[in-house]
Amino acid sequence: MTIRNWIKFFFSTLVVGGVVTGILGFIIRWDEFSNWFYDMDFSQIIPAFIWLVGVGFTFSVISQMGFFAYLTIHQFGVSFFRSSSLWNSVQLVIIALVLFDLIYFRFQKFAAAGESLVSYVLLAIGLLGYGVIVALIKSRQSKSNTFVSALFFMIVVTVLEWLPVLTTNEKSWLYLMLFTLLACNTYQLLMLPKYNQRQG
């Protein structure tokens, strides 16, 4: 990829993060912002939207750091294990461990007395389901077998990027950051080949 295309890729991903957070921020945190919309108080709405977009830019940068870190780790994994099938098996094991940790440790740390495990399981299942869909699209887009690698990125790397709010468990931020990371990670995973193919 040329420097020019990398810059375009960086800023387009930045826009994805900003727009997604700017829009979803009002939806997810509607209880906080609804009165401004009912009153058509644009003196409050516009600054809040700009602030949310700025937060989205931050999430996007975290996503891009994770993406390029994964590209490095993936190349290292393929070289170290000397077999794509063995590397895929290792990635599947790590995916399973991360999903288990996402359920078990969050439940142990944040569950209230008598709270059901169901919501924690559903969150992990939702992340897995979305990851599978994106990985299937990626594998159809690519001539090589990229399903497991794409799934690893969408689940393991997303969870690692998500840690700053996972450790606080504030629900509005939990979902806002997750949806933004998923949007940015999906965009990067599916659009990188197109930017690589561009001339100049």
Side-chain angles (χ1 to χ4, degrees):
M1 184 187 295
T2 64
I3 295 295
R4 180 181 296 179
N5 285 340
W6 179 82
I7 292 172
K8 290 178 182 177
F9 185 62
F10 173 82
F11 280 105
S12 61
T13 308
L14 204 66
V15 169
V16 171
V19 170
V20 169
T21 306
I23 295 172
L24 288 183
F26 284 112
I27 297 172
I28 293 173
R29 305 178 69 183
W30 181 249
D31 290 342
E32 299 176 44
F33 300 130
S34 57
N35 289 336
W36 297 348
F37 282 89
Y38 293 141
D39 298 336
M40 299 299 286
D41 188 356
F42 291 104
S43 65
Q44 298 283 357
I45 294 172
I46 293 174
F49 179 76
I50 292 172
W51 178 76
L52 286 168
V53 168
V55 171
F57 288 164
T58 304
F59 292 164
S60 176
V61 170
I62 293 171
S63 168
Q64 294 188 63
M65 290 170 61
F67 182 61
F68 285 102
Y70 173 69
L71 292 178
T72 303
I73 292 169
H74 179 67
Q75 291 302 317
F76 173 80
V78 171
S79 300
F80 181 80
F81 291 102
R82 299 178 182 276
S83 166
S84 59
S85 60
L86 181 57
W87 173 229
N88 283 344
S89 298
V90 171
Q91 290 181 99
L92 287 172
V93 170
I94 296 173
I95 289 169
L97 289 173
V98 167
L99 288 173
F100 174 79
D101 290 348
L102 185 62
I103 297 168
Y104 180 77
F105 288 111
R106 285 191 65 243
F107 181 77
Q108 289 295 316
K109 184 173 183 180
F110 299 114
E115 185 178 359
S116 171
L117 186 66
V118 173
S119 62
Y120 297 86
V121 173
L122 289 177
L123 181 61
I125 290 175
L127 180 59
L128 175 61
Y130 183 82
V132 167
I133 292 170
V134 174
L136 285 171
I137 296 171
K138 178 63 179 179
S139 63
R140 291 177 181 177
Q141 180 191 72
S142 174
K143 294 180 181 179
S144 57
N145 183 15
T146 57
F147 177 82
V148 174
S149 297
L151 186 64
F152 182 93
F153 173 67
M154 291 304 300
I155 294 176
V156 176
V157 177
T158 297
V159 170
L160 290 175
E161 295 166 348
W162 196 21
L163 281 176
V165 296
L166 274 177
T167 54
T168 62
N169 203 45
E170 206 288 312
K171 285 190 176 180
S172 63
W173 285 108
L174 193 74
Y175 290 109
L176 184 58
M177 187 175 190
L178 174 61
F179 293 148
T180 305
L181 290 174
L182 288 175
C184 291
N185 286 345
T186 301
Y187 178 83
Q188 291 178 99
L189 192 65
L190 300 182
M191 293 300 294
L192 181 63
K194 296 181 180 180
Y195 279 87
N196 280 332
Q197 292 167 6
R198 290 183 179 181
Q199 301 297 320

mmCIF file of all heavy atoms in Angstrom, residues 122-169:
data_model
loop_
_atom_site.group_PDB
_atom_site.id
_atom_site.type_symbol
_atom_site.label_atom_id
_atom_site.label_comp_id
_atom_site.label_asym_id
_atom_site.label_seq_id
_atom_site.Cartn_x
_atom_site.Cartn_y
_atom_site.Cartn_z
ATOM 1 N N LEU A 122 -25.406 -13.919 26.250
ATOM 2 C CA LEU A 122 -25.973 -13.359 25.015
ATOM 3 C C LEU A 122 -25.029 -12.355 24.368
ATOM 4 O O LEU A 122 -24.933 -12.292 23.136
ATOM 5 C CB LEU A 122 -27.321 -12.700 25.307
ATOM 6 C CG LEU A 122 -28.478 -13.648 25.622
ATOM 7 C CD1 LEU A 122 -29.739 -12.851 25.957
ATOM 8 C CD2 LEU A 122 -28.744 -14.586 24.452
ATOM 9 N N LEU A 123 -24.341 -11.567 25.178
ATOM 10 C CA LEU A 123 -23.387 -10.605 24.635
ATOM 11 C C LEU A 123 -22.262 -11.331 23.887
ATOM 12 O O LEU A 123 -21.890 -10.939 22.774
ATOM 13 C CB LEU A 123 -22.800 -9.746 25.757
ATOM 14 C CG LEU A 123 -21.786 -8.668 25.323
ATOM 15 C CD1 LEU A 123 -22.432 -7.661 24.374
ATOM 16 C CD2 LEU A 123 -21.209 -7.960 26.544
ATOM 17 N N ALA A 124 -21.743 -12.399 24.487
ATOM 18 C CA ALA A 124 -20.681 -13.174 23.845
ATOM 19 C C ALA A 124 -21.185 -13.861 22.580
ATOM 20 O O ALA A 124 -20.494 -13.902 21.557
ATOM 21 C CB ALA A 124 -20.122 -14.209 24.821
ATOM 22 N N ILE A 125 -22.415 -14.384 22.633
ATOM 23 C CA ILE A 125 -23.000 -15.043 21.457
ATOM 24 C C ILE A 125 -23.214 -14.029 20.336
ATOM 25 O O ILE A 125 -22.969 -14.323 19.163
ATOM 26 C CB ILE A 125 -24.324 -15.737 21.825
ATOM 27 C CG1 ILE A 125 -24.053 -16.947 22.719
ATOM 28 C CG2 ILE A 125 -25.087 -16.174 20.562
ATOM 29 C CD1 ILE A 125 -25.309 -17.624 23.235
ATOM 30 N N GLY A 126 -23.670 -12.827 20.704
ATOM 31 C CA GLY A 126 -23.871 -11.785 19.705
ATOM 32 C C GLY A 126 -22.563 -11.402 19.024
ATOM 33 O O GLY A 126 -22.513 -11.242 17.797
ATOM 34 N N LEU A 127 -21.502 -11.272 19.825
ATOM 35 C CA LEU A 127 -20.190 -10.957 19.265
ATOM 36 C C LEU A 127 -19.705 -12.084 18.361
ATOM 37 O O LEU A 127 -19.181 -11.836 17.265
ATOM 38 C CB LEU A 127 -19.190 -10.722 20.402
ATOM 39 C CG LEU A 127 -17.747 -10.388 20.004
ATOM 40 C CD1 LEU A 127 -17.701 -9.116 19.156
ATOM 41 C CD2 LEU A 127 -16.870 -10.239 21.238
ATOM 42 N N LEU A 128 -19.893 -13.323 18.794
ATOM 43 C CA LEU A 128 -19.503 -14.479 17.980
ATOM 44 C C LEU A 128 -20.289 -14.521 16.677
ATOM 45 O O LEU A 128 -19.712 -14.734 15.600
ATOM 46 C CB LEU A 128 -19.719 -15.766 18.770
ATOM 47 C CG LEU A 128 -19.475 -17.081 18.014
ATOM 48 C CD1 LEU A 128 -18.036 -17.177 17.537
ATOM 49 C CD2 LEU A 128 -19.840 -18.276 18.889
ATOM 50 N N GLY A 129 -21.600 -14.313 16.775
ATOM 51 C CA GLY A 129 -22.434 -14.352 15.575
ATOM 52 C C GLY A 129 -22.040 -13.296 14.563
ATOM 53 O O GLY A 129 -21.933 -13.579 13.359
ATOM 54 N N TYR A 130 -21.807 -12.086 15.038
ATOM 55 C CA TYR A 130 -21.390 -11.016 14.136
ATOM 56 C C TYR A 130 -20.030 -11.336 13.529
ATOM 57 O O TYR A 130 -19.810 -11.122 12.329
ATOM 58 C CB TYR A 130 -21.341 -9.680 14.880
ATOM 59 C CG TYR A 130 -20.989 -8.517 13.983
ATOM 60 C CD1 TYR A 130 -21.964 -7.909 13.202
ATOM 61 C CD2 TYR A 130 -19.679 -8.050 13.897
ATOM 62 C CE1 TYR A 130 -21.651 -6.854 12.363
ATOM 63 C CE2 TYR A 130 -19.360 -6.995 13.062
ATOM 64 C CZ TYR A 130 -20.340 -6.399 12.296
ATOM 65 O OH TYR A 130 -20.014 -5.356 11.454
ATOM 66 N N GLY A 131 -19.119 -11.848 14.358
ATOM 67 C CA GLY A 131 -17.798 -12.201 13.866
ATOM 68 C C GLY A 131 -17.854 -13.262 12.783
ATOM 69 O O GLY A 131 -17.117 -13.186 11.783
ATOM 70 N N VAL A 132 -18.726 -14.250 12.956
ATOM 71 C CA VAL A 132 -18.884 -15.313 11.949
ATOM 72 C C VAL A 132 -19.384 -14.731 10.624
ATOM 73 O O VAL A 132 -18.890 -15.091 9.551
ATOM 74 C CB VAL A 132 -19.842 -16.409 12.458
ATOM 75 C CG1 VAL A 132 -20.257 -17.352 11.314
ATOM 76 C CG2 VAL A 132 -19.200 -17.199 13.581
ATOM 77 N N ILE A 133 -20.353 -13.837 10.696
ATOM 78 C CA ILE A 133 -20.893 -13.228 9.473
ATOM 79 C C ILE A 133 -19.811 -12.470 8.717
ATOM 80 O O ILE A 133 -19.648 -12.627 7.502
ATOM 81 C CB ILE A 133 -22.073 -12.292 9.819
ATOM 82 C CG1 ILE A 133 -23.261 -13.104 10.329
ATOM 83 C CG2 ILE A 133 -22.476 -11.461 8.596
ATOM 84 C CD1 ILE A 133 -24.373 -12.268 10.908
ATOM 85 N N VAL A 134 -19.058 -11.635 9.435
ATOM 86 C CA VAL A 134 -17.993 -10.857 8.793
ATOM 87 C C VAL A 134 -16.913 -11.782 8.244
ATOM 88 O O VAL A 134 -16.398 -11.578 7.143
ATOM 89 C CB VAL A 134 -17.385 -9.843 9.783
ATOM 90 C CG1 VAL A 134 -16.178 -9.132 9.160
ATOM 91 C CG2 VAL A 134 -18.431 -8.819 10.210
ATOM 92 N N ALA A 135 -16.563 -12.823 9.000
ATOM 93 C CA ALA A 135 -15.535 -13.766 8.555
ATOM 94 C C ALA A 135 -15.981 -14.514 7.295
ATOM 95 O O ALA A 135 -15.159 -14.778 6.405
ATOM 96 C CB ALA A 135 -15.214 -14.757 9.674
ATOM 97 N N LEU A 136 -17.253 -14.848 7.203
ATOM 98 C CA LEU A 136 -17.767 -15.506 5.992
ATOM 99 C C LEU A 136 -17.667 -14.578 4.783
ATOM 100 O O LEU A 136 -17.278 -15.009 3.692
ATOM 101 C CB LEU A 136 -19.211 -15.941 6.211
ATOM 102 C CG LEU A 136 -19.430 -17.176 7.091
ATOM 103 C CD1 LEU A 136 -20.911 -17.356 7.398
ATOM 104 C CD2 LEU A 136 -18.864 -18.431 6.414
ATOM 105 N N ILE A 137 -18.024 -13.311 4.998
ATOM 106 C CA ILE A 137 -17.916 -12.338 3.901
ATOM 107 C C ILE A 137 -16.467 -12.186 3.476
ATOM 108 O O ILE A 137 -16.155 -12.157 2.280
ATOM 109 C CB ILE A 137 -18.499 -10.975 4.335
ATOM 110 C CG1 ILE A 137 -19.997 -11.096 4.606
ATOM 111 C CG2 ILE A 137 -18.241 -9.912 3.265
ATOM 112 C CD1 ILE A 137 -20.612 -9.868 5.243
ATOM 113 N N LYS A 138 -15.569 -12.128 4.464
ATOM 114 C CA LYS A 138 -14.150 -11.978 4.161
ATOM 115 C C LYS A 138 -13.607 -13.192 3.409
ATOM 116 O O LYS A 138 -12.822 -13.050 2.460
ATOM 117 C CB LYS A 138 -13.368 -11.774 5.464
ATOM 118 C CG LYS A 138 -11.849 -11.640 5.286
ATOM 119 C CD LYS A 138 -11.499 -10.407 4.468
ATOM 120 C CE LYS A 138 -9.996 -10.272 4.320
ATOM 121 N NZ LYS A 138 -9.634 -9.086 3.498
ATOM 122 N N SER A 139 -14.019 -14.380 3.820
ATOM 123 C CA SER A 139 -13.514 -15.588 3.163
ATOM 124 C C SER A 139 -14.015 -15.692 1.735
ATOM 125 O O SER A 139 -13.326 -16.219 0.859
ATOM 126 C CB SER A 139 -13.920 -16.831 3.961
ATOM 127 O OG SER A 139 -15.329 -16.978 4.003
ATOM 128 N N ARG A 140 -15.207 -15.181 1.459
ATOM 129 C CA ARG A 140 -15.718 -15.164 0.092
ATOM 130 C C ARG A 140 -15.019 -14.095 -0.743
ATOM 131 O O ARG A 140 -14.870 -14.250 -1.950
ATOM 132 C CB ARG A 140 -17.225 -14.919 0.096
ATOM 133 C CG ARG A 140 -18.022 -16.089 0.665
ATOM 134 C CD ARG A 140 -19.500 -15.786 0.717
ATOM 135 N NE ARG A 140 -20.251 -16.900 1.294
ATOM 136 C CZ ARG A 140 -21.568 -16.882 1.521
ATOM 137 N NH1 ARG A 140 -22.267 -15.773 1.240
ATOM 138 N NH2 ARG A 140 -22.166 -17.937 2.036
ATOM 139 N N GLN A 141 -14.603 -13.041 -0.078
ATOM 140 C CA GLN A 141 -13.904 -11.951 -0.761
ATOM 141 C C GLN A 141 -12.491 -12.365 -1.153
ATOM 142 O O GLN A 141 -11.957 -11.915 -2.171
ATOM 143 C CB GLN A 141 -13.854 -10.731 0.167
ATOM 144 C CG GLN A 141 -13.166 -9.503 -0.382
ATOM 145 C CD GLN A 141 -12.950 -8.457 0.710
ATOM 146 O OE1 GLN A 141 -12.118 -8.611 1.603
ATOM 147 N NE2 GLN A 141 -13.722 -7.375 0.646
ATOM 148 N N SER A 142 -11.893 -13.235 -0.351
ATOM 149 C CA SER A 142 -10.498 -13.621 -0.553
ATOM 150 C C SER A 142 -10.398 -14.992 -1.203
ATOM 151 O O SER A 142 -11.253 -15.856 -0.994
ATOM 152 C CB SER A 142 -9.769 -13.636 0.793
ATOM 153 O OG SER A 142 -8.466 -14.123 0.654
ATOM 154 N N LYS A 143 -9.349 -15.196 -1.980
ATOM 155 C CA LYS A 143 -9.114 -16.491 -2.616
ATOM 156 C C LYS A 143 -8.534 -17.495 -1.630
ATOM 157 O O LYS A 143 -8.681 -18.698 -1.803
ATOM 158 C CB LYS A 143 -8.160 -16.318 -3.805
ATOM 159 C CG LYS A 143 -8.741 -15.491 -4.944
ATOM 160 C CD LYS A 143 -7.746 -15.355 -6.083
ATOM 161 C CE LYS A 143 -8.335 -14.508 -7.212
ATOM 162 N NZ LYS A 143 -7.368 -14.334 -8.330
ATOM 163 N N SER A 144 -7.860 -17.016 -0.592
ATOM 164 C CA SER A 144 -7.266 -17.902 0.406
ATOM 165 C C SER A 144 -8.248 -18.141 1.552
ATOM 166 O O SER A 144 -9.265 -17.463 1.669
ATOM 167 C CB SER A 144 -5.968 -17.303 0.938
ATOM 168 O OG SER A 144 -6.206 -16.017 1.480
ATOM 169 N N ASN A 145 -7.915 -19.107 2.413
ATOM 170 C CA ASN A 145 -8.777 -19.450 3.541
ATOM 171 C C ASN A 145 -8.538 -18.471 4.687
ATOM 172 O O ASN A 145 -7.611 -18.640 5.481
ATOM 173 C CB ASN A 145 -8.496 -20.883 3.991
ATOM 174 C CG ASN A 145 -9.420 -21.314 5.115
ATOM 175 O OD1 ASN A 145 -10.433 -20.671 5.386
ATOM 176 N ND2 ASN A 145 -9.070 -22.401 5.773
ATOM 177 N N THR A 146 -9.351 -17.457 4.772
ATOM 178 C CA THR A 146 -9.141 -16.399 5.769
ATOM 179 C C THR A 146 -10.214 -16.396 6.862
ATOM 180 O O THR A 146 -10.223 -15.498 7.698
ATOM 181 C CB THR A 146 -9.163 -15.014 5.080
ATOM 182 O OG1 THR A 146 -10.421 -14.856 4.396
ATOM 183 C CG2 THR A 146 -8.016 -14.885 4.087
ATOM 184 N N PHE A 147 -11.086 -17.415 6.862
ATOM 185 C CA PHE A 147 -12.211 -17.397 7.796
ATOM 186 C C PHE A 147 -11.752 -17.325 9.251
ATOM 187 O O PHE A 147 -12.208 -16.468 10.013
ATOM 188 C CB PHE A 147 -13.094 -18.630 7.599
ATOM 189 C CG PHE A 147 -14.230 -18.716 8.574
ATOM 190 C CD1 PHE A 147 -15.406 -18.001 8.362
ATOM 191 C CD2 PHE A 147 -14.121 -19.482 9.731
ATOM 192 C CE1 PHE A 147 -16.443 -18.061 9.275
ATOM 193 C CE2 PHE A 147 -15.149 -19.541 10.654
ATOM 194 C CZ PHE A 147 -16.315 -18.830 10.424
ATOM 195 N N VAL A 148 -10.866 -18.224 9.649
ATOM 196 C CA VAL A 148 -10.445 -18.285 11.057
ATOM 197 C C VAL A 148 -9.700 -17.015 11.460
ATOM 198 O O VAL A 148 -9.923 -16.463 12.536
ATOM 199 C CB VAL A 148 -9.581 -19.531 11.313
ATOM 200 C CG1 VAL A 148 -9.032 -19.517 12.743
ATOM 201 C CG2 VAL A 148 -10.385 -20.801 11.078
ATOM 202 N N SER A 149 -8.829 -16.537 10.582
ATOM 203 C CA SER A 149 -8.071 -15.317 10.884
ATOM 204 C C SER A 149 -8.996 -14.120 11.044
ATOM 205 O O SER A 149 -8.827 -13.299 11.950
ATOM 206 C CB SER A 149 -7.045 -15.050 9.783
ATOM 207 O OG SER A 149 -6.099 -16.082 9.714
ATOM 208 N N ALA A 150 -9.981 -14.018 10.146
ATOM 209 C CA ALA A 150 -10.942 -12.918 10.232
ATOM 210 C C ALA A 150 -11.774 -13.024 11.505
ATOM 211 O O ALA A 150 -12.047 -12.019 12.172
ATOM 212 C CB ALA A 150 -11.848 -12.916 9.001
ATOM 213 N N LEU A 151 -12.177 -14.249 11.857
ATOM 214 C CA LEU A 151 -12.954 -14.464 13.077
ATOM 215 C C LEU A 151 -12.125 -14.100 14.309
ATOM 216 O O LEU A 151 -12.636 -13.471 15.246
ATOM 217 C CB LEU A 151 -13.410 -15.924 13.158
ATOM 218 C CG LEU A 151 -14.348 -16.290 14.311
ATOM 219 C CD1 LEU A 151 -15.673 -15.535 14.176
ATOM 220 C CD2 LEU A 151 -14.591 -17.794 14.347
ATOM 221 N N PHE A 152 -10.858 -14.478 14.301
ATOM 222 C CA PHE A 152 -9.947 -14.147 15.394
ATOM 223 C C PHE A 152 -9.848 -12.627 15.561
ATOM 224 O O PHE A 152 -9.939 -12.109 16.676
ATOM 225 C CB PHE A 152 -8.563 -14.733 15.106
ATOM 226 C CG PHE A 152 -7.558 -14.482 16.194
ATOM 227 C CD1 PHE A 152 -7.362 -15.405 17.210
ATOM 228 C CD2 PHE A 152 -6.779 -13.325 16.193
ATOM 229 C CE1 PHE A 152 -6.417 -15.171 18.207
ATOM 230 C CE2 PHE A 152 -5.838 -13.082 17.185
ATOM 231 C CZ PHE A 152 -5.661 -14.018 18.191
ATOM 232 N N PHE A 153 -9.684 -11.941 14.462
ATOM 233 C CA PHE A 153 -9.581 -10.486 14.532
ATOM 234 C C PHE A 153 -10.863 -9.863 15.067
ATOM 235 O O PHE A 153 -10.826 -9.003 15.957
ATOM 236 C CB PHE A 153 -9.259 -9.914 13.153
ATOM 237 C CG PHE A 153 -9.302 -8.417 13.100
ATOM 238 C CD1 PHE A 153 -8.374 -7.653 13.786
ATOM 239 C CD2 PHE A 153 -10.299 -7.759 12.386
ATOM 240 C CE1 PHE A 153 -8.423 -6.264 13.761
ATOM 241 C CE2 PHE A 153 -10.364 -6.380 12.356
ATOM 242 C CZ PHE A 153 -9.421 -5.629 13.052
ATOM 243 N N MET A 154 -12.000 -10.304 14.549
ATOM 244 C CA MET A 154 -13.272 -9.697 14.939
ATOM 245 C C MET A 154 -13.638 -9.978 16.389
ATOM 246 O O MET A 154 -14.374 -9.200 17.004
ATOM 247 C CB MET A 154 -14.390 -10.188 14.013
ATOM 248 C CG MET A 154 -14.291 -9.674 12.585
ATOM 249 S SD MET A 154 -14.232 -7.860 12.459
ATOM 250 C CE MET A 154 -15.782 -7.394 13.232
ATOM 251 N N ILE A 155 -13.133 -11.071 16.954
ATOM 252 C CA ILE A 155 -13.485 -11.395 18.335
ATOM 253 C C ILE A 155 -12.353 -11.049 19.299
ATOM 254 O O ILE A 155 -12.523 -10.223 20.203
ATOM 255 C CB ILE A 155 -13.863 -12.885 18.469
ATOM 256 C CG1 ILE A 155 -15.158 -13.159 17.691
ATOM 257 C CG2 ILE A 155 -14.039 -13.271 19.940
ATOM 258 C CD1 ILE A 155 -15.574 -14.603 17.660
ATOM 259 N N VAL A 156 -11.205 -11.662 19.115
ATOM 260 C CA VAL A 156 -10.111 -11.497 20.082
ATOM 261 C C VAL A 156 -9.582 -10.068 20.090
ATOM 262 O O VAL A 156 -9.446 -9.443 21.150
ATOM 263 C CB VAL A 156 -8.977 -12.495 19.787
ATOM 264 C CG1 VAL A 156 -7.799 -12.261 20.731
ATOM 265 C CG2 VAL A 156 -9.486 -13.926 19.922
ATOM 266 N N VAL A 157 -9.280 -9.543 18.919
ATOM 267 C CA VAL A 157 -8.718 -8.194 18.853
ATOM 268 C C VAL A 157 -9.758 -7.158 19.291
ATOM 269 O O VAL A 157 -9.428 -6.199 20.003
ATOM 270 C CB VAL A 157 -8.188 -7.888 17.439
ATOM 271 C CG1 VAL A 157 -7.670 -6.455 17.355
ATOM 272 C CG2 VAL A 157 -7.068 -8.868 17.076
ATOM 273 N N THR A 158 -11.010 -7.356 18.895
ATOM 274 C CA THR A 158 -12.060 -6.425 19.324
ATOM 275 C C THR A 158 -12.179 -6.395 20.839
ATOM 276 O O THR A 158 -12.287 -5.323 21.447
ATOM 277 C CB THR A 158 -13.414 -6.802 18.699
ATOM 278 O OG1 THR A 158 -13.334 -6.683 17.275
ATOM 279 C CG2 THR A 158 -14.523 -5.893 19.211
ATOM 280 N N VAL A 159 -12.144 -7.560 21.473
ATOM 281 C CA VAL A 159 -12.247 -7.616 22.935
ATOM 282 C C VAL A 159 -11.055 -6.919 23.595
ATOM 283 O O VAL A 159 -11.212 -6.188 24.580
ATOM 284 C CB VAL A 159 -12.370 -9.077 23.427
ATOM 285 C CG1 VAL A 159 -12.225 -9.154 24.948
ATOM 286 C CG2 VAL A 159 -13.711 -9.667 22.996
ATOM 287 N N LEU A 160 -9.865 -7.122 23.053
ATOM 288 C CA LEU A 160 -8.685 -6.445 23.599
ATOM 289 C C LEU A 160 -8.802 -4.926 23.465
ATOM 290 O O LEU A 160 -8.450 -4.182 24.390
ATOM 291 C CB LEU A 160 -7.424 -6.944 22.892
ATOM 292 C CG LEU A 160 -7.005 -8.385 23.202
ATOM 293 C CD1 LEU A 160 -5.816 -8.793 22.340
ATOM 294 C CD2 LEU A 160 -6.662 -8.546 24.675
ATOM 295 N N GLU A 161 -9.299 -4.472 22.327
ATOM 296 C CA GLU A 161 -9.495 -3.028 22.122
ATOM 297 C C GLU A 161 -10.581 -2.483 23.049
ATOM 298 O O GLU A 161 -10.573 -1.301 23.412
ATOM 299 C CB GLU A 161 -9.888 -2.766 20.668
ATOM 300 C CG GLU A 161 -8.818 -3.116 19.653
ATOM 301 C CD GLU A 161 -9.344 -3.179 18.226
ATOM 302 O OE1 GLU A 161 -10.587 -3.179 18.033
ATOM 303 O OE2 GLU A 161 -8.526 -3.238 17.295
ATOM 304 N N TRP A 162 -11.487 -3.339 23.417
ATOM 305 C CA TRP A 162 -12.670 -2.993 24.204
ATOM 306 C C TRP A 162 -12.385 -2.921 25.702
ATOM 307 O O TRP A 162 -13.226 -2.466 26.479
ATOM 308 C CB TRP A 162 -13.720 -4.055 23.902
ATOM 309 C CG TRP A 162 -15.133 -3.784 24.255
ATOM 310 C CD1 TRP A 162 -15.747 -2.589 24.461
ATOM 311 C CD2 TRP A 162 -16.131 -4.790 24.426
ATOM 312 N NE1 TRP A 162 -17.084 -2.774 24.735
ATOM 313 C CE2 TRP A 162 -17.348 -4.125 24.721
ATOM 314 C CE3 TRP A 162 -16.136 -6.174 24.341
ATOM 315 C CZ2 TRP A 162 -18.533 -4.808 24.942
ATOM 316 C CZ3 TRP A 162 -17.322 -6.860 24.555
ATOM 317 C CH2 TRP A 162 -18.509 -6.184 24.855
ATOM 318 N N LEU A 163 -11.218 -3.384 26.128
ATOM 319 C CA LEU A 163 -10.895 -3.509 27.551
ATOM 320 C C LEU A 163 -11.073 -2.229 28.369
ATOM 321 O O LEU A 163 -11.477 -2.307 29.535
ATOM 322 C CB LEU A 163 -9.462 -4.032 27.724
ATOM 323 C CG LEU A 163 -9.273 -5.533 27.527
ATOM 324 C CD1 LEU A 163 -7.800 -5.907 27.633
ATOM 325 C CD2 LEU A 163 -10.100 -6.332 28.523
ATOM 326 N N PRO A 164 -10.763 -1.041 27.814
ATOM 327 C CA PRO A 164 -10.913 0.165 28.653
ATOM 328 C C PRO A 164 -12.299 0.338 29.259
ATOM 329 O O PRO A 164 -12.418 0.831 30.388
ATOM 330 C CB PRO A 164 -10.590 1.304 27.675
ATOM 331 C CG PRO A 164 -9.663 0.685 26.678
ATOM 332 C CD PRO A 164 -10.151 -0.728 26.511
ATOM 333 N N VAL A 165 -13.348 -0.058 28.539
ATOM 334 C CA VAL A 165 -14.695 0.076 29.120
ATOM 335 C C VAL A 165 -15.203 -1.231 29.700
ATOM 336 O O VAL A 165 -16.099 -1.227 30.534
ATOM 337 C CB VAL A 165 -15.713 0.630 28.097
ATOM 338 C CG1 VAL A 165 -15.353 2.024 27.680
ATOM 339 C CG2 VAL A 165 -15.846 -0.275 26.903
ATOM 340 N N LEU A 166 -14.630 -2.361 29.272
ATOM 341 C CA LEU A 166 -15.023 -3.644 29.865
ATOM 342 C C LEU A 166 -14.715 -3.672 31.354
ATOM 343 O O LEU A 166 -15.439 -4.277 32.139
ATOM 344 C CB LEU A 166 -14.290 -4.800 29.167
ATOM 345 C CG LEU A 166 -14.915 -5.376 27.905
ATOM 346 C CD1 LEU A 166 -14.011 -6.455 27.321
ATOM 347 C CD2 LEU A 166 -16.296 -5.938 28.181
ATOM 348 N N THR A 167 -13.634 -3.023 31.735
ATOM 349 C CA THR A 167 -13.223 -3.037 33.139
ATOM 350 C C THR A 167 -14.075 -2.118 34.011
ATOM 351 O O THR A 167 -14.034 -2.225 35.237
ATOM 352 C CB THR A 167 -11.748 -2.624 33.269
ATOM 353 O OG1 THR A 167 -11.549 -1.358 32.625
ATOM 354 C CG2 THR A 167 -10.838 -3.654 32.608
ATOM 355 N N THR A 168 -14.833 -1.217 33.395
ATOM 356 C CA THR A 168 -15.711 -0.327 34.167
ATOM 357 C C THR A 168 -17.158 -0.796 34.137
ATOM 358 O O THR A 168 -17.930 -0.528 35.051
ATOM 359 C CB THR A 168 -15.646 1.114 33.629
ATOM 360 O OG1 THR A 168 -16.107 1.135 32.271
ATOM 361 C CG2 THR A 168 -14.212 1.638 33.694
ATOM 362 N N ASN A 169 -17.549 -1.458 33.038
ATOM 363 C CA ASN A 169 -18.891 -2.041 32.885
ATOM 364 C C ASN A 169 -20.009 -1.006 32.905
ATOM 365 O O ASN A 169 -21.129 -1.292 33.341
ATOM 366 C CB ASN A 169 -19.144 -3.089 33.983
ATOM 367 C CG ASN A 169 -20.212 -4.100 33.570
ATOM 368 O OD1 ASN A 169 -20.192 -4.603 32.451
ATOM 369 N ND2 ASN A 169 -21.137 -4.394 34.474
#
